[in-house]
Amino acid sequence: MTERSTLPVAVLASGRGSNLQALIRARDAGLPIDLRLVASDRAEAPALRHAEAAGIATLALDPAGYATRRDYDLELFRRVAESGAKLLVLAGFMRILDADAVNPWRGRMINVHPSLLPKYRGLHTHRRALEAGDAEHGASVHFVSPELDGGPVIAQARIDVRPDDTETTLAERLLPLEHRLLPAAVALIASGRLHLGERGIVFDDVPLTSPLRLEDACLKPA
């Protein structure tokens, strides 16, 4: 696999890094990406340790060292750009981002979120799905906009909610699907089959009217 054939990718993560690990496994299995940098707002984030073990450059940038959120975000994104990344993946990055940092990355930044967006933006998605009595729950990968968990939705994975589900069991059953969903979405972007155009997402040269759905490890039109 040559450098020319791979998509340079950076990842932002605040926590355990399980979706980062899924990307690393997918890369090692042939996903044509070059993981240039894993950055975090927490020096102790396990995601950074996973990156180091995989030989990926890391960056821990402490928000406390900056006067404003905007100052921090602009510096973080400047460092990401220096890595040469062409796609930025938010994989459990637990910060609201400033619009001035986000807007230059329009169409080049994606996020994985544990809900069927636009439902349950923000935190505690599993609890909220259970409290609402939802029959179905899931995860979404979307292009990032300045709005919290906003931006066009690329693809979703869905599971049935069981009568005896708790937050813990629901999260445990959904996580393996997230680990297939994110690499599958990245694969479509890396191959050039999917991109964000002026009027929305384009998949195989056709405007996408609803999110793709995960079936096994593949994304297909709903």
Side-chain angles (χ1 to χ4, degrees):
M1 186 178 297
T2 66
E3 178 75 14
R4 185 175 300 175
S5 66
T6 62
L7 176 67
V9 174
V11 178
L12 300 184
S14 296
R16 61 189 174 185
S18 69
N19 276 300
L20 167 64
Q21 288 180 289
L23 282 177
I24 293 171
R25 289 193 298 269
R27 177 203 64 179
D28 294 346
L31 179 65
I33 61 172
D34 176 12
L35 289 166
R36 295 286 183 89
L37 177 70
V38 175
S40 181
D41 56 329
R42 298 174 58 240
E44 70 278 13
L48 295 177
R49 309 292 84 81
H50 296 314
E52 290 165 355
I56 303 165
T58 62
L59 169 67
L61 201 62
D62 186 356
Y66 295 83
T68 67
R69 187 182 75 191
R70 179 179 183 275
D71 289 343
Y72 174 82
D73 290 350
L74 289 175
E75 175 61 14
L76 175 62
F77 279 60
R78 184 187 71 79
R79 302 280 286 273
V80 168
E82 282 184 347
S83 76
K86 301 301 182 185
L87 178 69
L88 178 55
V89 178
L90 308 187
F93 190 61
M94 306 304 289
R95 288 181 58 84
I96 297 174
L97 296 169
D98 188 273
D100 287 343
V102 170
N103 286 332
W105 284 82
R106 181 186 182 276
R108 299 188 296 133
M109 178 163 49
I110 64 173
N111 179 49
V112 57
H113 181 73
S115 82
L116 294 173
L117 291 172
K119 280 188 170 183
Y120 312 131
R121 296 174 179 175
L123 300 175
H124 310 301
T125 59
H126 311 306
R127 180 191 310 169
R128 291 156 69 189
L130 290 171
E131 289 175 347
D134 290 353
E136 192 175 47
H137 188 45
S140 304
V141 172
H142 64 96
F143 284 108
V144 175
S145 72
E147 181 183 9
L148 175 64
D149 295 323
V153 178
I154 298 168
Q156 294 179 324
R158 296 169 179 264
I159 58 173
D160 292 333
V161 178
R162 297 171 179 168
D164 60 347
D165 264 325
T166 65
E167 285 184 66
T168 299
T169 62
L170 199 55
E172 288 175 347
R173 290 197 296 112
L174 181 60
L175 194 59
L177 296 184
E178 288 184 40
H179 294 166
R180 297 202 292 269
L181 180 68
L182 179 60
V186 171
L188 291 181
I189 295 170
S191 68
R193 294 181 61 195
L194 184 142
H195 69 275
L196 182 61
E198 289 301 319
R199 297 185 180 181
I201 297 173
V202 178
F203 173 58
D204 284 345
D205 299 321
V206 177
L208 198 64
T209 57
S210 61
L212 299 171
R213 293 192 64 162
L214 182 70
E215 296 183 12
D216 296 323
C218 299
L219 293 176
K220 299 180 181 180

